[in-house]
Amino acid sequence: MSGKIKGVQSLLLEKNDSALYSPCAAHSLNLIGVNAAKMCPKVVTYFGYVQQLYVFFSSSPARWSILKDEIGNSLHSQSNTRWSSRIHAIRPISKQLPSIINALDRVINELGKTLPEKNHSEVKSMKKYFTTFKSLIMSSFWYKILSCIDQRNVIIQKRGISLDVEINLLSDLKKDLQNIRDSWPQILLETQQVAKEMQIVQHFGDNTRRIKRKKKFIDETSENTEPEMVFRNDVIYYTIDFILSDLEHRFQAVKNICNIFEPLLNFLSLTNEELELKTKSLVQKYKYDLSENMCQEMLHLKTIYSSTFQKSHVMPPLELLNSIYAKNVQTIFVNVCISLRIFCTIPVTVAEAERSFSNLGNSLKTWQRSTTSQERLNSLAILSMENELASTINFDDIITEFAELKARRIKF
């Protein structure tokens, strides 16, 4: 929770000033995408037509059958709570747009007599939009953007991901987005080739820009402004710049946490003076958990690291913690182990926890809930969440023990 004035974060800090705010990476990436799509009217129009296309075909089995015959797979709906779903919605349009246009034509030719008048206008409107040069560029552009975000989103939600890995993934994401921004001429050239094959007129429309002056919107037309430049600046560059700015803002808290734990993450690259200074700052943050001896422990760890662990680079925090226990030197690095455990337990996302609660409501909370005790319900929830571990358990001993507890003691 990010409410640092009167929200949950402020209430937690009143109880424990050592608590750290770590935003859910999955939710933050989702909000970045949602906000980016709302900031530009042309982007709102594009995603509106994508959703309208799905609703049109999915509302009729006959139309859906025609679509499957043409493209061989399905269209997908969009979701504001799962931004990654939009990559599945855009992929067929980006890869198989000619087949989708053929499907719209077949609907008119084969089902035209049975279509309501409203659907006739929808088909014509969708066909007109998706055969424009702007829609081709939007499909290519957003497919690249969403692919970059979805790849990181999938990795971030994996188990065992720590905050330092999250920061590295986000840094790579920024680089990819910047590369997409710089490759606008290539995107334009690819779209022009597709438009030529589909016999679509290659133009961006007029060069009228709607701007705000003195609290009123007016139309401004510049004869010296090319439509391509207007579209590039107002849609492509604007969208990517907004995403990059929002990424920096939303994940600043994660960077701050990694800076606090920098002695554990980069102790090999720090000088002894820097390591001692940053370690003292970490000890001051967790003054009830760590002692001043941690400075000596970190200097000792830096000295023996290469010879003891046979590594030339700093291991990830969880691997380092396990290696210390594997070498049976945890009594030497007591404070280091405590700080590593603190860092490793700071969550990257809460998506998996939310899915567990959804599973509790959808799968476990059935009609039997009224006759299920709280203890049994909690146990079922744990088994559902840890199903991989539960599947490795040998149930013979458990069944035997249960049978002995329930065996009747009366002899006839």
Side-chain angles (χ1 to χ4, degrees), residues 190-241:
E190 293 174 355
T191 308
Q192 288 173 342
Q193 293 174 351
V194 174
K196 185 176 180 180
E197 294 176 0
M198 295 181 61
Q199 297 181 351
I200 294 176
V201 180
Q202 302 177 22
H203 68 85
F204 292 88
D206 58 27
N207 56 351
T208 301
R209 304 176 66 178
R210 193 164 180 80
I211 61 175
K212 185 177 181 181
R213 285 185 180 172
K214 295 182 180 180
K215 300 183 179 181
K216 292 182 180 180
F217 285 96
I218 62 173
D219 293 334
E220 179 184 82
T221 303
S222 175
E223 297 179 356
N224 298 325
T225 304
E226 297 181 0
E228 175 194 337
M229 186 181 299
V230 173
F231 184 86
R232 181 196 65 187
N233 295 336
D234 293 355
V235 179
I236 305 299
Y237 287 177
Y238 178 80
T239 300
I240 295 180
D241 291 343

Side-chain angles (χ1 to χ4, degrees), residues 335-389:
N335 292 281
V336 173
C337 291
I338 294 174
S339 56
L340 284 171
R341 288 201 298 268
I342 293 174
F343 183 80
C344 291
T345 52
I346 298 176
V348 174
T349 72
V350 297
E352 186 173 356
E354 291 190 351
R355 283 193 290 268
S356 299
F357 278 108
S358 298
N359 193 23
L360 176 65
N362 299 331
S363 301
L364 300 177
K365 194 173 182 180
T366 61
W367 61 272
Q368 297 176 334
R369 173 65 182 88
S370 58
T371 60
T372 302
S373 64
Q374 187 66 37
E375 182 180 359
R376 181 170 181 268
L377 184 66
N378 292 342
S379 300
L380 289 173
I382 294 174
L383 287 173
S384 176
M385 298 171 192
E386 304 294 343
N387 58 85
E388 295 180 1
L389 180 61

Side-chain angles (χ1 to χ4, degrees), residues 47-60 63-64 67 74-78 88-89 93 100 126 130:
F47 281 111
Y49 272 105
V50 171
Q51 182 67 15
Q52 184 181 2
L53 187 69
Y54 167 78
V55 172
F56 175 77
F57 280 106
S58 63
S59 60
S60 168
R63 301 174 209 163
W64 194 258
L67 178 71
S74 303
L75 296 176
H76 297 271
S77 180
Q78 303 175 49
H88 304 296
I93 300 174
I100 293 176
M126 287 186 292
F130 285 113

Side-chain angles (χ1 to χ4, degrees), residues 81-98:
T81 57
R82 288 191 308 109
W83 180 254
S84 59
S85 68
R86 304 207 175 194
I87 185 65
H88 304 296
I90 291 176
R91 184 180 288 113
I93 300 174
S94 177
K95 301 296 183 181
Q96 297 174 303
L97 183 58

Side-chain angles (χ1 to χ4, degrees), residues 32-38 40 42-44 46-47 83 86-87 90 94 136-149 235-236 239-240 243:
I32 289 170
V34 170
N35 293 336
K38 289 180 179 179
C40 179
K42 291 183 176 64
V43 177
V44 174
Y46 172 74
F47 281 111
W83 180 254
R86 304 207 175 194
I87 185 65
I90 291 176
S94 177
L136 292 179
I137 290 187
M138 294 292 280
S139 297
S140 176
F141 168 70
W142 274 105
Y143 182 73
K144 296 177 185 295
I145 293 291
L146 293 175
S147 296
C148 293
I149 295 177
V235 179
I236 305 299
T239 300
I240 295 180
I243 294 175

